[in-house]
Amino acid sequence: ETRELFAFSADIDIPLISTPFDEESVDILTDLGVKAFKTASFDIVNIPFLRYVASKGLPIILSTGMSSLSEIEDAVDAIAHEKNPNLILLHCVSAYPTDISDTNLSVIDSLRKSFRVPIGFSDHTIGLLASTVSFSLGADLLEKHFTLDKNMEGPDHILSSDPKEMKKLVSARNNVF
């Protein structure tokens, strides 16, 4: 199925990124022509794995959920050790859904000042407020889950944007910028 997705995305000229969970997956995705990697929050402390991902030289979106500042620093150093400057840190709260009061969006500026790399926000809240505020705080990238139906079974659908909400999100982003 992954090969089919990559072939389809190539046909319609939409680049794919993917989240590998082991070195074999990194190699498969590289062979398929992945344009960037996104790491899962729990892998931020898996330094050998991060170094392997970084060794491919592709952009990395590094999720920071559940981590301390020193753990983020260790991960950034590991990626830099592999001479890969293509890094975006992704502020993330690893709760599904995240209550708006727990998003702590001031971390966007703190990460930018601490690491001097682009900073994004992984929005696991219900609705668009946190995403819109992250744009106004200068987030360089936004991750918002997508679904065709918020009522589908599973933990992600309720916090995901459906096509109508995604259209509103794009409009909000355009208005902020």
Side-chain angles (χ1 to χ4, degrees):
E1 290 173 338
T2 302
R3 291 184 200 291
E4 290 175 31
L5 280 172
F6 273 86
F8 178 74
S9 72
D11 287 346
I12 61 174
D13 200 29
I14 294 178
L16 286 184
I17 66 170
S18 189
T19 302
F21 296 101
D22 54 42
E23 291 181 6
E24 180 183 3
S25 297
V26 172
D27 293 338
I28 290 169
L29 291 168
T30 301
D31 291 344
L32 289 172
V34 72
K35 302 299 182 195
F37 293 107
K38 180 195 171 278
T39 61
S41 291
F42 57 78
D43 273 325
I44 198 162
V45 294
N46 188 346
I47 299 302
F49 178 69
L50 292 178
R51 288 182 66 171
Y52 190 77
V53 172
S55 74
K56 300 300 178 180
L58 295 171
I60 299 170
I61 301 168
L62 183 69
S63 292
T64 63
M66 303 183 292
S67 61
S68 67
L69 201 57
S70 66
E71 289 169 332
I72 297 170
E73 185 175 356
D74 290 345
V76 169
D77 289 347
I79 292 166
H81 184 269
E82 297 301 318
K83 310 263 189 286
N84 187 334
N86 305 306
L87 176 63
I88 298 175
L89 293 178
L90 192 62
H91 171 52
C92 175
V93 178
S94 297
Y96 290 72
T98 301
D99 189 275
I100 191 81
S101 64
D102 294 329
T103 57
N104 195 13
L105 293 175
S106 63
V107 169
I108 292 170
D109 191 51
S110 298
L111 290 173
R112 181 176 287 108
K113 287 177 181 172
S114 295
F115 298 103
R116 302 188 189 285
V117 298
I119 307 298
F121 173 56
S122 180
D123 186 1
H124 298 147
T125 66
I126 295 172
L128 302 179
L129 180 60
S131 291
T132 304
V133 171
S134 77
F135 294 139
S136 69
L137 294 173
D140 298 296
L141 176 123
L142 175 72
E143 177 189 56
K144 183 71 174 174
H145 295 213
F146 179 78
T147 186
L148 295 175
D149 182 353
K150 290 174 170 274
N151 297 311
M152 290 175 67
E153 191 174 323
D156 285 6
H157 295 287
I158 192 170
L159 60 91
S160 300
S161 288
D162 60 19
K164 184 177 178 183
E165 191 175 79
M166 191 61 73
K167 187 175 183 177
K168 289 180 184 176
L169 180 58
V170 170
S171 178
R173 180 209 57 200
N174 293 343
N175 287 333
V176 169
F177 288 120

